């Protein structure tokens, strides 16, 4: 009995340390690979605790291995946009300016009832009040509400990310009709000699560019774009 007690205490603190190293996230905020690793850790942690005849390292080794695997995957995802898309996926637009996007619903293996439930959970009862609805990679839905009176209220825009962690998103650049050279010129005028100095940049349909450098103050600037009607 004492052995089981000691193994349980050690396993608890080991799992606690590994989960804390994974980051301060609630279960519903985890990326798919983080959720999988968490479930596996919970499973393997029970094996040596429940059976006193199973060597203790049968539980410790997998837990530490999974913790290291999470750190490696997180590092790879932070350094590579391609790896990030493969590991975590991409946000999906479920409702756009044309209404419900049927093709994107099929991609997510969802039906309209699932979409209705998700939108209602976000506090919106009427699709007519929604300009955009985006399903994030952690499964949560983000809603951009329509302006009640476009003539008096600022219209609803959907920011399109152009650069993340110093790397340009070629697909979004083409969608927005923005040339990489133009962005580099904007960065240079604001004291950013290299795109790697920029943590995040996005564009809105009216040409408003938002730039957040890694170590300087963020700024906005209007630029001309050719694809504002594309998203």
């Amino acid at each position: 009995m004492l052995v089981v007690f000691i193994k349980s205490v050690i396993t608890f603190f080991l799992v606690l340390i590994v989960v804390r190293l994974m980051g301060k996230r609630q279960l519903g905020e985890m990326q798919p690979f983080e959720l999988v690793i968490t479930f596996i850790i919970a499973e393997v942690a029970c094996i040596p605790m429940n059976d006193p005849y199973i060597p203790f390292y049968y539980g410790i080794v997998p837990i530490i291995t999974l913790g290291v695997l999470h750190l490696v995957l997180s590092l790879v995802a932070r350094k590579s946009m391609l790896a990030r898309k493969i590991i975590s996926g991409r946000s999906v637009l479920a409702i756009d300016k044309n209404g419900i996007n049927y093709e994107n619903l099929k991609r997510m293996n969802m039906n309209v009832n699932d979409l209705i439930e998700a939108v209602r959970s976000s506090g919106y009862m009427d699709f007519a009040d929604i300009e955009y609805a985006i399903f994030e990679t952690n499964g949560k839905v983000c809603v951009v509400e329509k302006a009640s009176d476009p003539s008096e209220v600022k219209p609803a825009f959907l920011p399109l990310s152009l650069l993340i962690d110093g790397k340009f998103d070629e697909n979004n650049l083409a969608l927005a009709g923005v040339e990489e050279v133009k962005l580099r010129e904007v960065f240079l005028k604001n004291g950013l000699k290299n795109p790697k100095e920029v943590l995040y940049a996005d564009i809105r349909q009216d040409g408003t560019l938002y730039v957040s450098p890694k170590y300087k103050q963020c700024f906005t600037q209007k630029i001309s774009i050719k694809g504002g009607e594309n998203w």
Side-chain angles (χ1 to χ4, degrees), residues 79-229:
K79 297 295 183 180
S80 169
M81 290 188 65
L82 177 60
R84 192 177 308 168
K85 292 175 184 177
I86 295 174
I87 295 172
S88 300
R90 298 190 65 172
S91 301
V92 179
L93 204 59
I95 299 177
D96 55 27
K97 60 182 180 180
N98 297 318
I100 299 174
N101 192 312
Y102 177 61
E103 292 299 323
N104 284 348
L105 281 185
K106 290 198 299 182
R107 283 176 52 197
M108 295 185 292
N109 196 27
M110 292 181 62
N111 55 47
V112 176
N113 293 94
D114 295 329
L115 178 61
I116 292 173
E117 182 178 344
V119 168
R120 285 177 178 172
S121 299
S122 297
Y124 295 87
M125 301 294 111
D126 191 346
F127 282 141
D129 295 333
I130 299 173
E131 188 78 24
Y132 299 99
I134 308 106
F135 277 92
E136 306 296 351
T137 55
N138 60 10
K140 291 190 175 183
V141 62
C142 176
V143 175
V144 179
E145 190 175 357
K146 282 185 177 179
S148 56
D149 186 352
S151 63
E152 298 179 1
V153 184
K154 179 182 177 181
F157 292 127
L158 178 67
L160 186 68
S161 59
L162 302 178
L163 181 146
I164 299 176
D165 285 333
K167 296 180 176 62
F168 290 101
D169 189 319
E170 301 297 337
N171 293 330
N172 286 351
L173 285 174
L175 184 63
V178 180
E179 296 180 355
E180 183 179 319
V181 176
K182 180 182 292 186
L183 288 183
R184 289 178 179 271
E185 291 176 355
V186 173
F187 297 160
L188 189 59
K189 289 179 180 179
N190 288 273
L192 303 168
K193 299 179 181 179
N194 193 313
K196 293 186 180 298
E197 299 178 46
V198 180
L199 180 64
Y200 176 76
D202 63 31
I203 193 77
R204 289 145 190 79
Q205 286 92 335
D206 66 343
T208 300
L209 177 69
Y210 170 84
V211 180
S212 181
K214 292 181 179 179
Y215 304 110
K216 295 184 179 181
Q217 188 175 1
C218 64
F219 62 89
T220 59
Q221 182 175 325
K222 273 287 189 72
I223 64 173
S224 60
I225 61 175
K226 300 177 182 178
E229 71 285 351

